[in-house]
Structure formats: structure tokens, C-alpha cells
Amino acid sequence: MKRTRYTEEQIIGILTEHEAGAKCADLCRKHGMSEGTFYAWKAKFGGMTVSDTKRLKALEDENAKLKKLLAEQMLDAAAMKELLSKKLVGPAVKREAVAHLQAKLGLSERRACRLVGADRKMIRYQSIRPPETELRQRLRDLANERRRFGYRRLFVLLRRDGELSGINRIYRLYREEGLKVRKRRARRKAVGTRAPILVEARPNARWSLDFVHDQLACGRRFRILNVVDDVTRECLAAIPDTSISGRRVARELATLIERRGKPGMIVSDNGTELTSNAILTFATERKIEWHYIAPGKPMQNGFVESFNGRMRDELLNETMFRNMAHARAVIRTWATDFNETRPHSALGYQTPKAFAEHLTTATDTRAAPTQNSARMSVAPPAPIGVSTQRALVPGG
């Protein structure tokens, strides 16, 4: 607004002279103004005193302040709406939020920092951390090769290759590179107390069997017979075929026993192939204790179910099988990798093969049995009041 050279007091004085009888033309010549200006003053200040003008001036100033405050509040509300979809956690996110408010709403750095809740020194900070390009590339390549591995297993694999970085640095780079594994929807977990399942701490103490189903690229379905050592977590066999009968299961188990030795117990569900006469005869002739879990309770066969989940997540969901020959080759390669390369979290991120060799060496070189040498728990500790004196507790 253009500022006038006359104050309100001077304008009221000129209008008072006019009311006293002075002519408009004389007043305009005397004070150097136009008649239009004079009549504009008269329309605005006519009949007012000096105190009235001061009060009007104060009201106008107050109104201007209120308008400014209202505009600032509306601008702040608009800025907060811009930030509703952003989770302002961490310096990097806050820097992005401040830059967004400055670019889109034209806010000053000070005001944007106040709305975001960030210190201006932090916003202006320029990182001097090296880009770590080579390590990032190695991590990306490894994550692309092992698409269902999280940062812990990737860290173990990098350590094997001689990388000296700690797990916190690997986790930071893992997040910055956007390598987070998408979680698939999990089933509801059973609740309640569970007694531990105790087996002897040696290979072949107990095996678990189960079937996994999948299909070829042509749509033809096939199944995989998985055999797992519950102590060492080794995949003893992963046999794919379009049809696997009870006789085929007995034949494969006989071949496995000749190569590896007889297990102390075999655990399975109540499928028709595993309750057939061929399996009952096989268990009786070989004098193998065969335990069937309760119907509808797959958690009682948790070791092979966990293995099935890993196979489904890391292999079956990631691979399109062209034919049965291709499926057999890929599954055989994956099983070998599972036993010899893949770190297993339940074994302290050792491989199952290395863990089995450690158990075998410890058993061979042990002079006398100790408290920890006879039995090993492969389940969480028992709840209070549950007896754990028996060496073998059947699954379920």
C-alpha cells in the first residue's frame, strides 16, 4: 500500500478547517492536494476525531496481525498434510522432508526445520562416509543370487569371502540398497506350552519324512519326498517324481540306510504312502521305530515342515521347472547347496554338513560322557513342571 505524506492528525485538521467554512479549492491549493484526494479523505475520516483515527489505526494493525497469523497457521497445516504420508524417523528422512517443504511450499529452512522437528545443523550436514561401491555391488550380487536370504545370512556368506565389515554396516547397506526380503503371509501359530523333544546328539538319531507338491511348466503336478536329519538338519534325500508309492518310499529309505546307516527313529504323518503295508513291513524287518504324528498336527513334525518351508520359499516359488529331468537336476543342486553352503540359523549359522562333522568328531574324540554329551535338546527348554528325564520323547 502506498504511504501517504499526510498523517491522520493532519487529515483530520484539514477536514476540520473545511467544516469551519474554508472552501475545498482553497484547502487544496494551500496543502497541495487534489480535490479527489480531499473527498476521499472526507468519505473515510468525515466526522472523526484524532482519537478515533488512532483507534481505527490500532484496529487495522490488529487485523493485519490476525490475518498474518491465520495465513501462517494455514501454511503450517498445509505443510503437515504434506508430511502425513512420511514417517519422520532418521536424519535422512528429515532432510528429505525439509527439502520437500522448501521446494513445494516455499518455506524457509528455519520454519521447515521447526515443523519437522529437526536441527538445522543436522539438515546442513554433508556426509564424509566413503561410498563403499565395491561392497554394495558384492552385496547386491549376492542378494540377487540368494533372493530369499536376509541380511544375517548374507553377512555370513560375505564373512566367508573375507569381508571384515561388521553386521551393523552390512545391515545399513542392506537397507539403503532396498534388499529387504518381502515377507509372505504366514500361518497362524499355535499357542500353549510345548514339552521339549530330546534326541541323542549324533547324526541318524532321528529322521523326518514328508511330501511337498509342485507342478511343471506344462501344468503337470509332481511331488517331492523329503528326508531330513532332525539333529544335523541335513537334507538326506529330496526325491521328485510324478508318483511316489509306499514301495518307492521303502526302496529309497533302504538305499539311504545302506549309504548312511540306520536311524534311531523315523517320524512322519499319516499319509497313505507312509501307512501302507510296504512301510509297515519295512519298519518291522529293519527293526526301525516309526512314529506317526497325531492327525492334523503338522507342528509335531516341525523339523521337516520347516525344511519344506525353506524349500518352498527359496526354490519352488523361485523356479519354473521345464520337465522332470530339469526338476531333478535343480532340486539335487539345491539340496547340496543347502547342506554344504547355506548357513543355518538354528546351528549358529553353520552349514548342516559342518555341524554334522563337528558332532561326529566330538563323539569320536570324547573320552568320557559328560552331562552335555549324552543328549541334546532340539526344541525349546521344557516349561516348569515338565519332566525331561527320558532320552527319547516321541513327536507329539
Side-chain angles (χ1 to χ4, degrees):
M1 180 179 179
K2 185 177 179 180
R3 185 175 180 180
T4 180
R5 56 178 177 166
Y6 298 94
T7 64
E8 286 80 0
E9 291 82 358
Q10 292 173 337
I11 294 173
I12 294 298
I14 295 173
L15 294 178
T16 302
E17 292 181 18
H18 181 264
E19 291 176 357
K23 293 182 178 181
C24 175
D26 297 337
L27 291 174
C28 290
R29 283 193 301 270
K30 177 181 178 181
H31 297 285
M33 60 186 180
S34 65
E35 291 186 4
T37 302
F38 174 80
Y39 286 111
W41 288 350
K42 187 175 182 180
K44 183 176 181 180
F45 299 103
M48 296 178 62
T49 62
V50 175
S51 59
D52 293 335
T53 58
K54 290 182 178 181
R55 189 160 51 251
L56 178 61
K57 179 65 174 177
L59 290 174
E60 290 178 349
D61 293 342
E62 185 68 21
N63 189 30
K65 290 180 181 179
L66 291 176
K67 286 183 178 180
K68 184 178 179 180
L69 290 175
L70 179 60
E72 291 180 352
Q73 289 293 332
M74 294 177 65
L75 186 58
D76 290 348
M80 295 306 295
K81 287 182 180 179
E82 291 289 333
L83 299 177
L84 282 179
S85 60
K86 300 180 182 295
K87 190 175 182 181
L88 302 179
V89 178
V93 179
K94 291 185 177 181
R95 291 191 192 100
E96 293 178 0
V98 170
H100 177 74
L101 293 180
Q102 288 180 294
K104 187 166 185 178
L105 300 180
L107 298 183
S108 64
E109 183 187 80
R110 185 186 301 275
R111 189 171 185 179
C113 289
R114 178 175 58 82
L115 292 174
V116 173
D119 190 275
R120 296 176 69 189
K121 292 181 180 178
M122 181 191 71
I123 299 300
R124 297 176 180 178
Y125 173 76
Q126 298 293 330
S127 176
I128 58 175
R129 178 181 290 159
E132 299 172 321
T133 307
E134 182 180 353
L135 179 56
R136 289 175 185 268
Q137 185 62 40
R138 290 171 58 195
L139 186 61
R140 282 196 302 269
D141 294 342
L142 199 57
N144 291 331
E145 180 183 352
R146 309 276 185 167
R147 295 177 55 187
R148 303 303 300 176
F149 276 19
Y151 75 94
R152 291 184 179 89
R153 285 193 174 90
L154 295 178
F155 167 72
V156 173
L157 297 180
L158 287 173
R159 272 295 173 89
R160 290 180 185 173
D161 295 339
E163 176 58 45
L164 301 179
S165 300
I167 192 170
N168 291 335
R169 174 181 292 179
I170 299 300
Y171 179 59
R172 174 176 59 81
L173 299 179
Y174 178 84
R175 292 187 59 184
E176 292 177 358
E177 294 297 322
L179 302 176
K180 182 179 179 181
V181 178
R182 180 179 62 86
K183 292 184 179 180
R184 296 189 172 98
R185 185 176 179 181
R187 296 180 179 179
R188 294 180 59 185
K189 296 182 179 180
V191 296
T193 59
R194 293 287 183 268
I197 304 176
L198 301 180
V199 297
E200 189 173 353
R202 63 175 179 82
N204 292 344
R206 192 178 69 188
W207 295 354
S208 295
L209 276 69
D210 199 13
F211 289 96
V212 178
H213 298 263
D214 202 49
Q215 64 181 11
L216 303 175
C218 61
R220 187 179 184 184
R221 299 189 63 83
F222 68 94
R223 60 197 326 204
I224 306 170
L225 172 63
N226 288 330
V227 185
V228 176
D229 190 311
D230 291 352
V231 175
T232 64
R233 313 299 169 89
E234 292 176 281
C235 173
L236 306 181
I239 304 162
D241 209 334
T242 54
S243 177
I244 301 179
S245 63
R247 293 182 178 180
R248 174 72 180 279
V249 174
R251 188 166 64 251
E252 296 293 347
L253 289 177
T255 303
L256 186 60
I257 290 174
E258 291 176 1
R259 175 169 57 87
R260 186 179 176 87
K262 188 175 73 171
M265 176 187 290
I266 296 179
V267 181
S268 71
D269 57 17
N270 297 271
T272 55
E273 302 85 356
L274 303 177
T275 56
S276 62
N277 290 330
I279 292 297
L280 297 178
T281 303
F282 169 80
T284 302
E285 292 177 352
R286 299 270 180 165
K287 296 182 181 180
I288 296 176
E289 183 179 358
W290 198 293
H291 174 74
Y292 294 101
I293 64 175
K297 300 290 183 180
M299 68 285 296
Q300 295 180 2
N301 201 13
F303 298 104
V304 72
E305 291 291 347
S306 176
F307 174 81
N308 293 344
R310 301 283 73 76
M311 173 180 278
R312 175 74 61 188
D313 187 47
E314 299 175 11
L315 175 65
L316 302 184
N317 288 345
E318 300 291 322
T319 310
M320 178 65 72
F321 300 107
R322 298 189 297 270
N323 47 48
M324 283 305 306
H326 178 234
R328 290 190 180 97
V330 172
I331 292 173
R332 187 185 309 112
T333 302
W334 183 85
T336 303
D337 178 82
F338 181 89
N339 290 333
E340 300 179 2
T341 306
R342 182 187 186 276
H344 202 299
S345 59
L347 305 178
Y349 291 99
Q350 300 182 68
T351 62
K353 182 179 179 180
F355 184 73
E357 293 175 353
H358 171 73
L359 283 182
T360 303
T361 303
T363 303
D364 295 341
T365 58
R366 187 178 297 123
T370 61
Q371 182 179 0
N372 296 329
S373 65
R375 300 291 178 261
M376 168 188 172
S377 175
V378 291
I384 298 177
V386 177
S387 175
T388 60
Q389 299 300 319
R390 297 180 59 188
L392 291 175
V393 180

